[in-house]
Amino acid sequence: MSLPIFRALRAFLALSLITGAMLTTVSWPVRADEADTDRQIETLLGDPADYKELFYAFQSAVAEGKAEIAVSLVSYPITISIGGEDATFENEAQLLDSYNDVFTDKIVNIVRNQEYGQAFVNSEGLMFGDGEVWISGVCEDSACNSSLPRVITIQSVD
């Protein structure tokens, strides 16, 4: 083999190895079945049982119109865009007062139709739909020695 071809081949192999190593270290969102979703949560977020419990509790509450339960699963304060204006809710009572403005038919349908085993999971949390709702761990104390999953994002859908 001539020297220029050997150098080109060696450069190609080195680049392939570097690219392959980079691709295996990137944390891409993953679609999976329930067992794979649990594994992704365990690897990236924490106890999958806690996330699964919150997922199904929130989904049931929203789908069944149980507003008091749905708002109790949200982390506060939370800022949500309503009609193009940002509104910050400091507690459950405030969100409950605007429940129908936040939980529109589109949001309800997205939450109702999301399958746990098909949810995107990455280091930011577990996602409903195309990011309209996110669940992630929220620190229970200032040292963040433990965290509980909560709804951290609800995004307006036009």
Side-chain angles (χ1 to χ4, degrees):
M1 191 178 292
S2 71
L3 193 54
I5 293 173
F6 178 73
R7 285 184 184 155
L9 180 59
R10 189 172 68 191
F12 172 77
L13 290 173
L15 182 59
S16 296
L17 289 171
I18 291 169
T19 304
M22 288 171 45
L23 289 175
T24 60
T25 60
V26 173
S27 175
W28 298 101
V30 176
R31 283 195 188 247
D33 64 20
E34 287 206 13
D36 286 341
T37 298
D38 286 344
R39 281 190 288 280
Q40 287 293 318
I41 289 170
E42 186 169 29
T43 299
L44 298 169
L45 303 169
D47 185 356
D50 291 341
Y51 281 83
K52 186 180 281 189
E53 181 180 352
L54 180 68
F55 176 94
Y56 285 117
F58 183 72
Q59 186 177 57
S60 294
V62 170
E64 296 171 16
K66 296 181 179 177
E68 295 85 6
I69 295 172
V71 301
S72 74
L73 303 173
V74 173
S75 176
Y76 296 95
I78 187 169
T79 301
I80 301 169
S81 177
I82 302 172
E85 298 289 323
D86 283 348
T88 299
F89 301 94
E90 299 293 332
N91 55 49
E92 293 176 26
Q94 289 179 353
L95 183 54
L96 194 56
D97 287 342
S98 297
Y99 187 85
N100 291 328
D101 295 325
V102 172
F103 291 89
T104 62
D105 289 342
K106 288 183 180 181
I107 290 289
V108 170
N109 286 330
I110 288 165
V111 171
R112 178 188 295 127
N113 294 322
Q114 180 63 59
E115 294 180 33
Y116 178 79
Q118 297 300 313
F120 280 109
V121 176
N122 66 17
S123 60
E124 301 299 313
L126 183 147
M127 182 176 82
F128 284 80
D130 291 324
E132 291 85 0
V133 176
W134 281 87
I135 293 172
S136 192
V138 176
C139 294
E140 294 186 280
D141 57 40
S142 60
C144 201
N145 291 322
S146 65
S147 63
L148 286 176
R150 288 284 176 256
V151 174
I152 62 161
T153 302
I154 304 169
Q155 299 189 54
S156 179
V157 178
D158 297 325

mmCIF file of all heavy atoms in Angstrom, residues 55 59 63 105-116 118 128-129:
data_model
loop_
_atom_site.group_PDB
_atom_site.id
_atom_site.type_symbol
_atom_site.label_atom_id
_atom_site.label_comp_id
_atom_site.label_asym_id
_atom_site.label_seq_id
_atom_site.Cartn_x
_atom_site.Cartn_y
_atom_site.Cartn_z
ATOM 1 N N PHE A 55 -46.158 9.938 36.912
ATOM 2 C CA PHE A 55 -46.651 9.970 35.534
ATOM 3 C C PHE A 55 -48.117 9.553 35.483
ATOM 4 O O PHE A 55 -48.963 10.271 34.948
ATOM 5 C CB PHE A 55 -45.802 9.049 34.651
ATOM 6 C CG PHE A 55 -46.290 8.945 33.230
ATOM 7 C CD1 PHE A 55 -45.773 9.772 32.248
ATOM 8 C CD2 PHE A 55 -47.250 8.013 32.871
ATOM 9 C CE1 PHE A 55 -46.218 9.683 30.933
ATOM 10 C CE2 PHE A 55 -47.702 7.910 31.563
ATOM 11 C CZ PHE A 55 -47.182 8.744 30.593
ATOM 12 N N GLN A 59 -51.378 11.885 34.863
ATOM 13 C CA GLN A 59 -52.150 11.569 33.669
ATOM 14 C C GLN A 59 -53.614 11.285 34.020
ATOM 15 O O GLN A 59 -54.528 11.818 33.379
ATOM 16 C CB GLN A 59 -51.532 10.371 32.952
ATOM 17 C CG GLN A 59 -52.179 10.051 31.618
ATOM 18 C CD GLN A 59 -51.492 8.906 30.928
ATOM 19 O OE1 GLN A 59 -51.381 7.816 31.485
ATOM 20 N NE2 GLN A 59 -51.011 9.153 29.714
ATOM 21 N N ALA A 63 -56.706 13.661 32.889
ATOM 22 C CA ALA A 63 -57.681 13.028 31.997
ATOM 23 C C ALA A 63 -59.077 12.994 32.611
ATOM 24 O O ALA A 63 -60.079 13.129 31.901
ATOM 25 C CB ALA A 63 -57.230 11.613 31.642
ATOM 26 N N ASP A 105 -57.867 21.988 26.255
ATOM 27 C CA ASP A 105 -58.180 20.696 25.635
ATOM 28 C C ASP A 105 -56.938 20.075 25.002
ATOM 29 O O ASP A 105 -56.742 18.860 25.081
ATOM 30 C CB ASP A 105 -59.273 20.852 24.576
ATOM 31 C CG ASP A 105 -60.645 21.130 25.180
ATOM 32 O OD1 ASP A 105 -60.837 20.871 26.395
ATOM 33 O OD2 ASP A 105 -61.525 21.601 24.441
ATOM 34 N N LYS A 106 -56.091 20.898 24.389
ATOM 35 C CA LYS A 106 -54.877 20.372 23.748
ATOM 36 C C LYS A 106 -53.918 19.782 24.779
ATOM 37 O O LYS A 106 -53.368 18.703 24.572
ATOM 38 C CB LYS A 106 -54.192 21.447 22.912
ATOM 39 C CG LYS A 106 -54.966 21.774 21.657
ATOM 40 C CD LYS A 106 -54.240 22.793 20.818
ATOM 41 C CE LYS A 106 -55.049 23.103 19.565
ATOM 42 N NZ LYS A 106 -54.385 24.057 18.698
ATOM 43 N N ILE A 107 -53.715 20.485 25.888
ATOM 44 C CA ILE A 107 -52.830 19.966 26.941
ATOM 45 C C ILE A 107 -53.427 18.688 27.519
ATOM 46 O O ILE A 107 -52.725 17.685 27.710
ATOM 47 C CB ILE A 107 -52.604 21.018 28.051
ATOM 48 C CG1 ILE A 107 -51.754 22.179 27.540
ATOM 49 C CG2 ILE A 107 -51.965 20.390 29.285
ATOM 50 C CD1 ILE A 107 -50.290 21.866 27.300
ATOM 51 N N VAL A 108 -54.717 18.685 27.795
ATOM 52 C CA VAL A 108 -55.373 17.494 28.345
ATOM 53 C C VAL A 108 -55.195 16.304 27.398
ATOM 54 O O VAL A 108 -54.855 15.198 27.837
ATOM 55 C CB VAL A 108 -56.862 17.766 28.642
ATOM 56 C CG1 VAL A 108 -57.610 16.474 28.977
ATOM 57 C CG2 VAL A 108 -56.995 18.772 29.779
ATOM 58 N N ASN A 109 -55.393 16.513 26.104
ATOM 59 C CA ASN A 109 -55.239 15.424 25.139
ATOM 60 C C ASN A 109 -53.812 14.921 25.050
ATOM 61 O O ASN A 109 -53.576 13.717 24.935
ATOM 62 C CB ASN A 109 -55.755 15.845 23.763
ATOM 63 C CG ASN A 109 -57.263 15.899 23.711
ATOM 64 O OD1 ASN A 109 -57.947 15.161 24.419
ATOM 65 N ND2 ASN A 109 -57.795 16.784 22.892
ATOM 66 N N ILE A 110 -52.859 15.818 25.115
ATOM 67 C CA ILE A 110 -51.450 15.414 25.080
ATOM 68 C C ILE A 110 -51.124 14.555 26.297
ATOM 69 O O ILE A 110 -50.510 13.497 26.182
ATOM 70 C CB ILE A 110 -50.525 16.651 25.003
ATOM 71 C CG1 ILE A 110 -50.621 17.269 23.601
ATOM 72 C CG2 ILE A 110 -49.086 16.296 25.358
ATOM 73 C CD1 ILE A 110 -50.061 18.667 23.503
ATOM 74 N N VAL A 111 -51.544 14.996 27.466
ATOM 75 C CA VAL A 111 -51.273 14.248 28.699
ATOM 76 C C VAL A 111 -52.012 12.908 28.668
ATOM 77 O O VAL A 111 -51.436 11.862 28.975
ATOM 78 C CB VAL A 111 -51.657 15.073 29.942
ATOM 79 C CG1 VAL A 111 -51.577 14.231 31.210
ATOM 80 C CG2 VAL A 111 -50.760 16.307 30.057
ATOM 81 N N ARG A 112 -53.264 12.926 28.290
ATOM 82 C CA ARG A 112 -54.084 11.706 28.254
ATOM 83 C C ARG A 112 -53.500 10.667 27.294
ATOM 84 O O ARG A 112 -53.516 9.473 27.583
ATOM 85 C CB ARG A 112 -55.504 12.047 27.819
ATOM 86 C CG ARG A 112 -56.410 10.817 27.705
ATOM 87 C CD ARG A 112 -57.766 11.125 27.092
ATOM 88 N NE ARG A 112 -58.538 12.021 27.939
ATOM 89 C CZ ARG A 112 -59.084 13.161 27.532
ATOM 90 N NH1 ARG A 112 -58.971 13.566 26.288
ATOM 91 N NH2 ARG A 112 -59.778 13.902 28.377
ATOM 92 N N ASN A 113 -52.997 11.101 26.156
ATOM 93 C CA ASN A 113 -52.560 10.180 25.113
ATOM 94 C C ASN A 113 -51.100 9.757 25.196
ATOM 95 O O ASN A 113 -50.675 8.902 24.413
ATOM 96 C CB ASN A 113 -52.847 10.790 23.736
ATOM 97 C CG ASN A 113 -54.330 10.933 23.495
ATOM 98 O OD1 ASN A 113 -55.119 10.078 23.873
ATOM 99 N ND2 ASN A 113 -54.731 12.041 22.884
ATOM 100 N N GLN A 114 -50.334 10.331 26.115
ATOM 101 C CA GLN A 114 -48.922 9.945 26.224
ATOM 102 C C GLN A 114 -48.803 8.564 26.848
ATOM 103 O O GLN A 114 -49.326 8.324 27.933
ATOM 104 C CB GLN A 114 -48.143 10.957 27.066
ATOM 105 C CG GLN A 114 -46.671 10.618 27.229
ATOM 106 C CD GLN A 114 -45.939 10.629 25.902
ATOM 107 O OE1 GLN A 114 -45.908 11.648 25.225
ATOM 108 N NE2 GLN A 114 -45.341 9.504 25.529
ATOM 109 N N GLU A 115 -48.116 7.658 26.176
ATOM 110 C CA GLU A 115 -47.836 6.348 26.740
ATOM 111 C C GLU A 115 -46.505 6.417 27.490
ATOM 112 O O GLU A 115 -45.527 6.951 26.977
ATOM 113 C CB GLU A 115 -47.766 5.291 25.640
ATOM 114 C CG GLU A 115 -49.088 5.056 24.946
ATOM 115 C CD GLU A 115 -48.986 3.993 23.868
ATOM 116 O OE1 GLU A 115 -48.190 3.051 24.036
ATOM 117 O OE2 GLU A 115 -49.702 4.124 22.871
ATOM 118 N N TYR A 116 -46.488 5.862 28.682
ATOM 119 C CA TYR A 116 -45.272 5.880 29.497
ATOM 120 C C TYR A 116 -44.100 5.256 28.739
ATOM 121 O O TYR A 116 -43.006 5.810 28.710
ATOM 122 C CB TYR A 116 -45.531 5.134 30.809
ATOM 123 C CG TYR A 116 -44.331 5.052 31.722
ATOM 124 C CD1 TYR A 116 -43.957 6.132 32.504
ATOM 125 C CD2 TYR A 116 -43.574 3.877 31.807
ATOM 126 C CE1 TYR A 116 -42.861 6.060 33.345
ATOM 127 C CE2 TYR A 116 -42.484 3.795 32.646
ATOM 128 C CZ TYR A 116 -42.128 4.889 33.410
ATOM 129 O OH TYR A 116 -41.035 4.816 34.242
ATOM 130 N N GLN A 118 -43.507 5.148 25.704
ATOM 131 C CA GLN A 118 -43.120 5.906 24.519
ATOM 132 C C GLN A 118 -42.664 7.327 24.862
ATOM 133 O O GLN A 118 -42.445 8.137 23.975
ATOM 134 C CB GLN A 118 -44.286 5.965 23.527
ATOM 135 C CG GLN A 118 -44.708 4.609 22.995
ATOM 136 C CD GLN A 118 -43.580 3.903 22.266
ATOM 137 O OE1 GLN A 118 -42.906 4.482 21.439
ATOM 138 N NE2 GLN A 118 -43.363 2.641 22.603
ATOM 139 N N PHE A 128 -43.894 14.713 28.232
ATOM 140 C CA PHE A 128 -45.182 14.417 27.607
ATOM 141 C C PHE A 128 -45.222 15.124 26.258
ATOM 142 O O PHE A 128 -44.835 16.301 26.166
ATOM 143 C CB PHE A 128 -46.344 14.955 28.443
ATOM 144 C CG PHE A 128 -46.678 14.167 29.667
ATOM 145 C CD1 PHE A 128 -45.942 14.317 30.832
ATOM 146 C CD2 PHE A 128 -47.756 13.283 29.668
ATOM 147 C CE1 PHE A 128 -46.273 13.608 31.982
ATOM 148 C CE2 PHE A 128 -48.093 12.575 30.813
ATOM 149 C CZ PHE A 128 -47.346 12.732 31.973
ATOM 150 N N GLY A 129 -45.742 14.432 25.240
ATOM 151 C CA GLY A 129 -45.920 15.050 23.929
ATOM 152 C C GLY A 129 -44.615 15.523 23.345
ATOM 153 O O GLY A 129 -43.611 14.802 23.334
#
